[in-house]
Amino acid sequence: QVQLVESGGGLVQPGGSLRLSCAASGSIFSINAMAWYRQAPGKQRELVAVIINGSTNYADSVKGRFTISKPHAKNTVYLQMNSLKPEDTAVYYCNADVFESRWAARHYWGQGTQVTVSS
């Protein structure tokens, strides 16, 4: 099994910045993709950013403000969030598509970390 541990959430003023981290550990053969999702109160969970083999994609609402990254030699993904807005307030979840062997991949979720953007 694989565990994802997130950190970096907190309270920040509009226009501020935060960096989220997600470290994967356990039975990892390789990681195909890692992503960040978020879920605001009363809303559905949405994909924020994804990184696959070094290529990245972002939700339109965060383009130009958020950056997802993953160092090649580490099973850790980061989400740098700049120019934060109140509408970015949500629980942010890390997701990883993990190969535990050569032939099988499974999705794992982190526990979520709260990001609150408020003055």
Side-chain angles (χ1 to χ4, degrees), residues 59-70:
D60 288 342
S61 59
V62 306
K63 284 181 179 177
R65 301 188 298 121
F66 290 12
T67 303
I68 187 171
S69 62
K70 178 186 177 298

Side-chain angles (χ1 to χ4, degrees), residues 2 27-31 98-106 108:
V2 173
S27 301
I28 300 173
F29 180 80
S30 66
I31 296 180
V98 179
F99 279 91
E100 299 179 49
S101 66
R102 296 191 210 91
W103 62 88
R106 298 173 64 181
Y108 291 89

Side-chain angles (χ1 to χ4, degrees), residues 10-18 65 81-89 115-119:
L11 175 65
V12 65
Q13 294 184 358
S17 298
L18 285 173
R65 301 188 298 121
M81 305 186 294
N82 298 326
S83 302
L84 283 162
K85 305 174 181 179
E87 51 263 44
D88 294 319
T89 296
V115 172
T116 302
V117 185
S118 176
S119 59

